[in-house]
Amino acid sequence: MVSNILKWVAGGLEGFLGIPILGGTIIVSLLWAPLFIMLALHIVGLVFASSEGTDKTGHILGIVTSVVGFIPFVGMIMHIVTAVFLLMEAAKNK
């Protein structure tokens, strides 16, 4: 249950950060702090997903996204892909 809520929240945030220009501006203006916050959120989500036995793919992909998210176009694409995975997993577990 908790992992499903975390997937909805993380998926929404990843989608927001994947918006062209806006997401990049927010990440750069906050000195990449959103990437560190999302990394922590995905690690917590992965722990809950592991303990509840739900899909872990979205959170693992989110961890990778947080690590490579500072690369301009790669980061945007990864945020969008991660958002899609997380939101699909959250909808499936409903």
Side-chain angles (χ1 to χ4, degrees):
M1 182 66 180
V2 174
S3 68
N4 204 34
I5 294 169
L6 284 172
K7 286 179 185 180
W8 282 112
V9 171
L13 290 171
E14 287 287 354
F16 180 73
L17 292 175
I19 297 173
I21 300 173
L22 179 63
T25 302
I26 290 170
I27 290 172
V28 171
S29 67
L30 294 174
L31 301 175
W32 292 272
L35 295 179
F36 295 113
I37 293 167
M38 292 305 294
L39 177 64
L41 180 65
H42 287 303
I43 291 170
V44 169
L46 182 62
V47 169
F48 276 106
S50 295
S51 68
E52 293 179 7
T54 60
D55 292 333
K56 299 178 273 289
T57 308
H59 287 299
I60 293 170
L61 192 58
I63 291 170
V64 172
T65 299
S66 296
V67 172
V68 299
F70 67 92
I71 303 170
F73 292 104
V74 175
M76 179 186 71
I77 292 168
M78 289 294 293
H79 281 299
I80 294 168
V81 169
T82 302
V84 169
F85 269 83
L86 284 167
L87 295 174
M88 284 177 49
E89 288 178 8
K92 184 176 74 172
N93 291 335
K94 196 174 187 182

